[in-house]
Amino acid sequence: MKKTQYAELVKPYQKDLLNNLKEFVAIDSTNYGTMNDENNPFGPGVSCALAFIASLAESDGFKVKNYDNKIVEILCGEEEENVTIMAHADVVPATGKWTGEPFVVRQKGDILYGRGVSDDKGPCLASYYALKALRDNNRIKGYQVRLLVGGNEESGSLCMEHYFKELKAKQPTYGFSPDADWPVVFAEKGIFNFVVEDDFDIPGLISIEGGLASNAVIDLAKIVVNDEKFVNAIKALDKVTSKVEEKDGFYYIEVYGKAAHGSVPQFGINAVLESLVAIASVANNEEFTNLVNKLNTTNGAGFNAVTKSDTMGENSSNLGIFSLKNGHLKAVVNFRFVNGTSYEEMSKIVIENAKPSKVSVSGPSALLYFPKDSPLISTLMSSYQEETGDYKSEPISMGGGTYAKEADNVVAFGMQYQDFDTHMHEPDERVRISDLYGAIAIYANAIEKLGSLIINKRK
């Protein structure tokens, strides 16, 4: 990271970021669903995390409002035209095998471990302290800066829908979401979920369950059978490990795969899918095998829903939640599509090719695309380049969906470097401390440059 004016400007805030990140991560802000109520629409943990960031901003003298425990708004300036930053306080479940407590920040050298350090509590605080550094040094003039911290990014972005559609808040003039990769994301795949349901009578198979979020690869499958042939088939799998306990003629099996973000299922090992393939191989049920084969692809090929793009790659398909009990199968699939196709086309193809199984579709989250030479992309690229000295990297497209789709004139901007895997949505999520500190400078640079765009438009 270069020693720039912004790097010097934000240096006094580094210690505060680190200390507050530890408190922020200590809050389990997973939306478990079962504890949601009118006062805690996304669960008490999310409400607690939103209260934390609101309290921090209030104590620092910002104008703050918590909208219904769904989203916190932090404002600097009274102008109508604005630079909007969209971060989130909720996290995905801390499943899988961690080497330490997920909600306790651990430091090893330059690396911090903990759920949310990279997605998205660390980037949220980096953005916050970029704003604070500029405010404290009287460098925000002629435009408003608005930091929005939502509580439902990981399971539907209902927080931003509430803010922009129900409360009818003003749209960003320019903005970014610190919830992806550097240098800047110019395109995001469209996303929808579909639910496959069917009934199967498979003697000896009692139940299979796995997954808590549609946008994560299932890393643990729990299976109950009373026929040893299923046990032997699962033990023969070579991509996963398993544990078996026998009690009163029943076999209780746990199968361990590898978690990954649902946008890149090919990088994980889906414990449920691996188990289903093994079970289907000995179940002697053709319809069940056919459905397993349809589910067991990461690009939509099983449903004849493959589309490729020169700029965005190909579609992705992730089985994220699964249950088969009392003979009823329910599978929740997270599907992401590239430019050149549409939600209407892809959902129709999936429904048709899932037959005779029934399919219901929810969504979509629209495809996002900005030209690389647009003012927003080129300005953010300039901020990244000036602070890092990296003039080789190009704007990227990705399968992950961010808040950028929920508002006008917003793109995802950092803060994961392509040479360092932060294990988002996986055990031992991590971030480099130096990257956090560097991000404060990049975001401060970007806020001021986007503000200059606003001012220059008036001239």
Side-chain angles (χ1 to χ4, degrees), residues 24-45:
F24 206 9
V25 169
I27 302 167
D28 180 356
S29 51
T30 309
N31 183 356
Y32 291 106
T34 55
M35 296 182 286
N36 298 6
D37 56 38
E38 185 176 349
N39 294 323
N40 303 288
F42 307 133

Side-chain angles (χ1 to χ4, degrees), residues 11 35 39 103 116 152 154 202 303 313 331 334 342 355 431 454:
K11 194 172 182 179
M35 296 182 286
N39 294 323
F103 299 103
N152 186 240
E154 298 292 4
I202 302 177
F303 295 93
N334 185 248
S342 66
K355 292 179 179 178
V431 69
I454 292 171

Side-chain angles (χ1 to χ4, degrees), residues 13 105 109 124 152 155 229 239 263 265 277 290 394 432 437:
Y13 301 88
V105 172
C124 175
N152 186 240
S155 49
K229 68 181 180 183
K239 292 183 181 180
S263 64
V277 170
N290 287 340
E394 293 288 334
R432 291 184 295 213
Y437 293 166

Side-chain angles (χ1 to χ4, degrees), residues 34-109:
T34 55
M35 296 182 286
N36 298 6
D37 56 38
E38 185 176 349
N39 294 323
N40 303 288
F42 307 133
V46 173
S47 296
C48 185
L50 292 175
F52 172 83
I53 196 70
S55 176
L56 174 64
E58 286 172 349
S59 68
D60 285 333
F62 286 101
K63 183 179 179 181
V64 180
K65 186 161 185 180
N66 183 335
Y67 291 96
D68 308 310
N69 273 335
K70 293 182 178 180
I71 187 168
V72 167
E73 174 191 73
I74 301 168
L75 297 178
C76 180
E78 301 295 331
E79 288 78 1
E80 186 69 19
E81 293 175 299
N82 63 85
V83 175
T84 296
I85 307 161
M86 302 169 70
H88 66 90
D90 60 317
V91 296
V92 296
T95 58
K97 294 182 178 180
W98 289 68
T99 58
E101 289 294 327
F103 299 103
V104 175
V105 172
R106 294 173 288 123
Q107 181 176 348
K108 292 184 179 180

Side-chain angles (χ1 to χ4, degrees), residues 6-7 9 19 32 44 63 138 175 189 206 228 268 283 337 339 347 360 369 374 383 451-452:
Y6 292 100
L9 183 75
N19 290 336
Y32 291 106
K63 183 179 179 181
N138 198 30
K189 293 178 182 178
I206 310 302
E228 198 170 2
F337 58 92
N339 59 319
S347 59
S360 59
Y369 184 91
S374 64
S383 294
S452 295

Side-chain angles (χ1 to χ4, degrees), residues 17-332:
L17 184 154
L18 191 58
N19 290 336
N20 282 304
L21 181 58
K22 292 175 181 178
E23 290 190 46
F24 206 9
V25 169
I27 302 167
D28 180 356
S29 51
T30 309
N31 183 356
Y32 291 106
T34 55
M35 296 182 286
N36 298 6
D37 56 38
E38 185 176 349
N39 294 323
N40 303 288
F42 307 133
V46 173
S47 296
C48 185
L50 292 175
F52 172 83
I53 196 70
S55 176
L56 174 64
E58 286 172 349
S59 68
D60 285 333
F62 286 101
K63 183 179 179 181
V64 180
K65 186 161 185 180
N66 183 335
Y67 291 96
D68 308 310
N69 273 335
K70 293 182 178 180
I71 187 168
V72 167
E73 174 191 73
I74 301 168
L75 297 178
C76 180
E78 301 295 331
E79 288 78 1
E80 186 69 19
E81 293 175 299
N82 63 85
V83 175
T84 296
I85 307 161
M86 302 169 70
H88 66 90
D90 60 317
V91 296
V92 296
T95 58
K97 294 182 178 180
W98 289 68
T99 58
E101 289 294 327
F103 299 103
V104 175
V105 172
R106 294 173 288 123
Q107 181 176 348
K108 292 184 179 180
D110 185 42
I111 299 177
L112 299 177
Y113 296 85
R115 178 57 89 218
V117 293
S118 63
D119 183 23
D120 188 42
K121 293 177 178 179
C124 175
L125 288 177
S127 302
Y128 173 77
Y129 281 107
L131 168 58
K132 187 174 188 299
L134 292 172
R135 193 278 311 265
D136 291 352
N137 288 275
N138 198 30
R139 294 180 65 151
I140 298 175
K141 298 178 181 180
Y143 58 96
Q144 182 184 77
V145 180
R146 176 176 56 173
L147 172 58
L148 303 177
V149 184
N152 186 240
E153 195 276 341
E154 298 292 4
S155 49
S157 297
L158 296 176
C159 46
M160 293 299 169
E161 182 176 321
H162 179 68
Y163 184 75
F164 286 111
K165 294 184 179 179
E166 295 177 26
L167 301 178
K168 300 190 183 305
K170 62 187 176 185
Q171 288 289 334
T173 308
Y174 295 107
F176 60 85
S177 179
D179 191 21
D181 295 349
W182 298 120
V184 65
V185 178
F186 74 94
E188 296 181 16
K189 293 178 182 178
I191 307 172
F192 64 90
N193 281 355
F194 64 89
V195 180
V196 182
E197 296 190 73
D198 211 330
D199 293 305
F200 295 102
D201 179 20
I202 302 177
L205 176 61
I206 310 302
S207 65
I208 312 174
E209 293 182 279
L212 295 172
S214 64
N215 61 348
V217 174
I218 302 171
D219 61 356
L220 171 63
K222 294 186 177 182
I223 305 165
V224 182
V225 298
N226 61 8
D227 190 327
E228 198 170 2
K229 68 181 180 183
F230 296 122
V231 178
N232 294 333
I234 290 170
K235 282 184 175 180
L237 292 170
D238 58 3
K239 292 183 181 180
V240 295
T241 58
S242 60
K243 181 176 70 175
V244 182
E245 292 184 2
E246 182 183 2
K247 184 178 179 181
D248 299 328
F250 290 89
Y251 298 92
Y252 299 86
I253 311 169
E254 289 188 351
V255 178
Y256 305 98
K258 180 179 181 295
H261 196 288
S263 64
V264 284
Q266 67 274 22
F267 295 150
I269 300 173
N270 196 306
V272 163
L273 280 173
E274 292 292 320
S275 301
L276 288 174
V277 170
I279 290 168
S281 70
V282 294
N284 194 29
N285 186 312
E286 185 176 354
E287 289 187 5
F288 177 72
T289 300
N290 287 340
L291 179 55
V292 169
N293 290 338
K294 291 176 182 179
L295 293 169
N296 191 31
T297 60
T298 59
N299 63 355
F303 295 93
N304 292 322
V306 176
T307 309
K308 295 183 179 181
S309 159
D310 290 339
T311 56
M312 299 186 72
E314 64 179 5
N315 298 344
S316 68
S317 179
N318 177 65
L319 175 64
I321 304 173
F322 183 89
S323 68
L324 198 170
K325 50 187 176 181
N326 299 320
H328 185 70
L329 181 150
K330 184 177 181 179
V332 182

